[in-house]
Amino acid sequence: MKNKLIILSSCFLSLMLMFSCKENNKESDEETLEVTAQSDTDFRPAFHFTPEENWMNDPNGMFFLNGTYHLFFQYYPEGNTWGPMHWGHATSKDMIKWEEQPIALEPDEQGYIFSGSAVVDTENTSGFGDGETPPVIAMFTYHDPKGEEEGREDYQTQAIAYSLDEGKTFTKYEGNPVIENPGIRDFRDPKITRDNVHDQWIMVLSADDQTMFYTSQNLKDWELASEFGRGIGAHGGVWECPDFIQMKVEDSDEKKWVLIQSLNPGGYNGGSGTQYFVGDFDGKTFTLDESMQDLDEDHPYWLDFGKDNYAGVTWANIPEEDGRHLFIGWMSNWQYANEVPTETWRSAMTIARELKLTKTEDTYRVISSPVSELEDYKGEEFTKNNIEVEGETQIVASEEIDLANAVLSFEIENLKQQEYHFSLSNDGGDILKFGYDHKAEEFYIDRSNSGLTDFNENFGDKVSKAPRLSKTSNLKVKAIIDNMSIELFFDNGETVMTEIFFPEQPLSTFSAEGKNFSINNLKINQVKLN
Ligand code: FRU
């Protein structure tokens, strides 16, 4: 089957080139169709969101209202590669089990509907409300393909739409665009946050490789307040899909503002990635915390170090009694997103995650964990303690528990060996490896032999690495495993790595390798949605 998979195009990363990439992919559509339908059913995740059909990228417009989590997403309903963007829509009671809904926003004469956000305007500051239902205001980027073709610089503008039926249908505002383009080619992905401290709406927008901060009283009239990013952090590509949230520091009353900022390329392990910055906000300007001054390209402030968590942002309007910062990301990478070997659908979201801000000595970190709602879907359980590892040691196989859709966790106490290796494999020779190099203080994921990899040269070529940030002598590992993805939460989510893979049959055996160490509290829970 590997050889059948010939995909010609190699996607470039700027949006302009994404268009030519799309063209290339169109030509190769017929060839990708040769991939058997079997691979498609095999790869579809059991408990991660994928659209029923066709192409998806970034999560958009997430808000919570009346017990329902809404997730919109970049969607091309007519093909399985990137194309004229719509906003698809899905709803859930718990961020785990999703129901796809009709398309929410379609392209029109002003352009494609690129990424953006939505808020419930509970006080009707926008005036769109009818006095009964609070209006939901979506803000998105219009991407005008004609302007782009003509070689103009100003073909991306910001627009709004409102919904009076809790996000089912939207009406585009007649005064669009609400923000004109000042002549910046990459000028997109507005993310709105309610700023109760300064009694205003804030919107962050990516502009080339900077973040622009806007403020508003009514969600229609926006004023540029400041810019952030010059010379700070990673700039290997265009900044995209920002998010800006105020977070309470764990175990303290301190509050800080966190700017989440995706970029492509320039991610920690190449291609797309999401970095973050912690600081203060005076109502207009975001100032980086002192502990992060002089942040260069190689900094360790990444929400996820794996290759497949991009453009992720948080839900708006989470009730105060809940108070969580809830995040979801797109589980792919622009290096190969258009070419991954699925047929009728393409791309999944990460598991929804809770973000927390911690402070150790003077260092702030955003840590992540899968939302606790995932625990409601626990299936069969397997546990084992004090497993001695010497050389290559098989720990558990599918006769004992199915590992293809599972949460697997374990601990290693008192790290003293140099290397710790783990793997998930099958009888066909596919193997997904991950582990920890104690000397280098580095985690890794190696998917080079994990199944189908040759659809793109950037997929299996390099081992992904991530720094260990925790200073504890015990290691905790939690892996969320679905048919085509692994999300590794090391040290309670201080270092996270998410990667996708395409094994030719399900991965069924968990093994470890190393010199004389023991695995404690191994726990495997199947995840079952029904
Ligand atoms: C990020 C991105 C956004 C853009 C969207 C287009 O993945 O490039 O910047 O709005 O995708 O689909």
Side-chain angles (χ1 to χ4, degrees):
M1 184 154 85
K2 263 180 197 154
N3 298 340
K4 270 202 215 163
L5 194 75
I6 313 158
I7 300 177
L8 300 173
S9 65
S10 144
C11 296
F12 290 100
L13 306 148
S14 79
L15 276 174
M16 174 121 155
L17 291 173
M18 269 166 56
F19 275 86
S20 44
C21 164
K22 160 75 183 136
E23 296 295 300
N24 288 344
N25 270 303
K26 207 155 198 274
E27 280 159 32
S28 68
D29 272 358
E30 274 127 55
E31 281 167 74
T32 56
L33 277 175
E34 280 187 33
V35 178
T36 59
Q38 188 205 334
S39 66
D40 196 36
T41 31
D42 285 351
F43 296 138
R44 196 189 275 273
F47 62 96
H48 286 75
F49 178 72
T50 57
E52 197 50 44
E53 286 187 319
N54 293 318
W55 167 270
M56 170 176 83
N57 56 290
D58 317 352
N60 294 151
M62 292 126 67
F63 68 89
F64 176 83
L65 181 60
N66 291 336
T68 301
Y69 294 90
H70 291 258
L71 167 67
F72 298 83
F73 48 91
Q74 288 287 276
Y75 187 49
Y76 181 45
E78 278 156 50
N80 66 358
T81 49
W82 189 88
M85 283 289 114
H86 299 54
W87 275 25
H89 184 200
T91 52
S92 172
K93 294 285 173 206
D94 58 13
M95 296 169 287
I96 304 293
K97 203 170 180 173
W98 292 98
E99 243 177 78
E100 199 168 342
Q101 305 292 344
I103 289 175
L105 285 167
E106 303 201 2
D108 57 46
E109 63 289 348
Q110 293 192 64
Y112 303 163
I113 314 294
F114 269 23
S115 286
S117 53
V119 288
V120 183
D121 181 15
T122 38
E123 305 295 318
N124 195 21
T125 61
S126 61
F128 288 127
D130 56 8
E132 281 169 34
T133 343
V136 177
I137 314 300
M139 188 166 196
F140 56 89
T141 298
Y142 262 130
H143 173 98
D144 171 16
K146 286 194 274 358
E148 187 189 27
E149 251 167 56
E150 288 160 11
R152 299 169 65 111
E153 299 281 291
D154 59 356
Y155 54 83
Q156 294 187 339
T157 54
Q158 317 316 319
I160 56 176
Y162 58 92
S163 170
L164 298 177
D165 55 8
E166 301 190 10
K168 278 192 202 74
T169 58
F170 281 88
T171 306
K172 287 169 185 150
Y173 175 49
E174 62 210 9
N176 282 336
V178 291
I179 300 179
E180 301 274 2
N181 186 308
I184 303 171
R185 173 185 280 270
D186 295 295
F187 184 69
R188 56 178 178 267
D189 310 336
K191 177 72 166 76
I192 307 173
T193 305
R194 180 69 205 166
D195 171 10
N196 286 325
V197 184
H198 307 99
D199 197 22
Q200 61 181 354
W201 297 100
I202 313 170
M203 186 271 284
V204 280
L205 187 72
S206 287
D208 196 2
D209 63 343
Q210 316 284 311
T211 317
M212 288 188 160
F213 287 75
Y214 288 81
T215 56
S216 175
Q217 284 304 328
N218 61 12
L219 295 161
K220 294 187 277 205
D221 303 306
W222 292 94
E223 207 176 297
L224 178 62
S226 61
E227 289 173 33
F228 173 85
R230 206 167 294 282
I232 302 167
H235 288 266
V238 174
W239 284 16
E240 300 183 313
C241 300
D243 192 1
F244 190 54
I245 48 177
Q246 192 185 37
M247 297 181 81
K248 195 177 91 54
V249 177
E250 289 297 295
D251 306 317
S252 122
D253 290 331
E254 191 184 0
K255 285 182 178 171
K256 289 296 233 187
W257 284 86
V258 176
L259 173 66
I260 294 173
Q261 184 63 75
S262 285
L263 87 160
N264 177 52
Y268 194 83
N269 280 293
S272 328
T274 304
Q275 56 187 336
Y276 65 88
F277 305 98
V278 181
D280 299 295
F281 184 67
D282 65 5
K284 285 194 181 317
T285 307
F286 175 61
T287 316
L288 196 62
D289 188 74
E290 259 180 33
S291 60
M292 285 198 180
Q293 298 299 331
D294 308 320
L295 219 59
D296 59 14
E297 295 278 332
D298 298 321
H299 67 80
Y301 297 97
W302 296 83
L303 274 193
D304 194 314
F305 292 85
K307 289 193 76 160
D308 299 306
N309 179 357
Y310 192 58
V313 288
T314 58
W315 260 275
N317 300 91
I318 297 301
E320 243 168 70
E321 335 56 280
D322 179 326
R324 289 178 297 173
H325 296 284
L326 298 165
F327 168 99
I328 204 164
W330 173 47
M331 205 153 50
S332 198
N333 189 310
W334 281 117
Q335 281 182 336
Y336 42 73
N338 275 280
E339 298 159 32
V340 297
T342 62
E343 203 39 52
T344 55
W345 59 280
R346 204 171 253 142
S347 296
M349 293 298 177
T350 64
I351 203 76
R353 302 176 183 185
E354 179 178 359
L355 304 183
K356 288 183 179 165
L357 184 64
T358 63
K359 187 179 184 186
T360 317
E361 283 156 25
D362 283 332
T363 308
Y364 294 94
R365 296 250 184 252
V366 176
I367 64 166
S368 323
S369 51
V371 290
S372 56
E373 285 84 342
L374 182 59
E375 289 173 24
D376 299 339
Y377 293 95
K378 271 186 192 166
E380 237 174 89
E381 181 169 286
F382 174 91
T383 57
K384 203 167 176 179
N385 204 2
N386 296 324
I387 307 163
E388 296 301 324
V389 177
E390 184 58 58
E392 244 187 86
T393 311
Q394 179 175 315
I395 296 173
V396 53
S398 56
E399 299 80 60
E400 290 168 286
I401 188 144
D402 186 0
L403 288 159
N405 321 121
V407 178
L408 177 156
S409 59
F410 60 89
E411 286 171 33
I412 294 172
E413 280 159 25
N414 190 15
L415 293 166
K416 56 180 190 299
Q417 302 299 354
Q418 190 179 320
E419 291 178 32
Y420 299 85
H421 303 285
F422 308 97
S423 67
L424 291 160
S425 58
N426 61 26
D427 294 343
D430 299 332
I431 180 160
L432 176 77
K433 299 182 186 169
F434 60 93
Y436 178 55
D437 179 334
H438 191 35
K439 194 154 173 234
E441 299 192 324
E442 228 168 32
F443 296 109
Y444 76 90
I445 297 187
D446 178 357
R447 62 180 175 190
S448 56
N449 291 305
S450 60
L452 303 180
T453 58
D454 58 0
F455 50 87
N456 181 289
E457 59 181 14
N458 291 312
F459 188 79
D461 60 332
K462 284 196 206 121
V463 173
S464 296
K465 304 256 169 90
R468 182 165 196 237
L469 303 169
S470 169
K471 298 284 171 240
T472 54
S473 60
N474 295 347
L475 172 65
K476 279 192 181 173
V477 180
K478 182 181 254 188
I480 311 288
I481 306 160
D482 205 330
N483 297 331
M484 53 154 281
S485 62
I486 186 159
E487 297 167 272
L488 283 163
F489 297 86
F490 295 110
D491 302 315
N492 293 321
E494 280 189 63
T495 300
V496 184
M497 296 185 89
T498 299
E499 296 215 345
I500 55 174
F501 53 86
F502 301 94
E504 293 189 79
Q505 40 178 290
L507 300 179
S508 51
T509 303
F510 175 53
S511 309
E513 196 184 336
K515 247 199 257 157
N516 186 23
F517 71 88
S518 32
I519 293 180
N520 290 309
N521 300 325
L522 173 73
K523 191 167 157 195
I524 302 172
N525 276 109
Q526 277 190 276
V527 179
K528 283 218 174 327
L529 279 203
N530 298 309

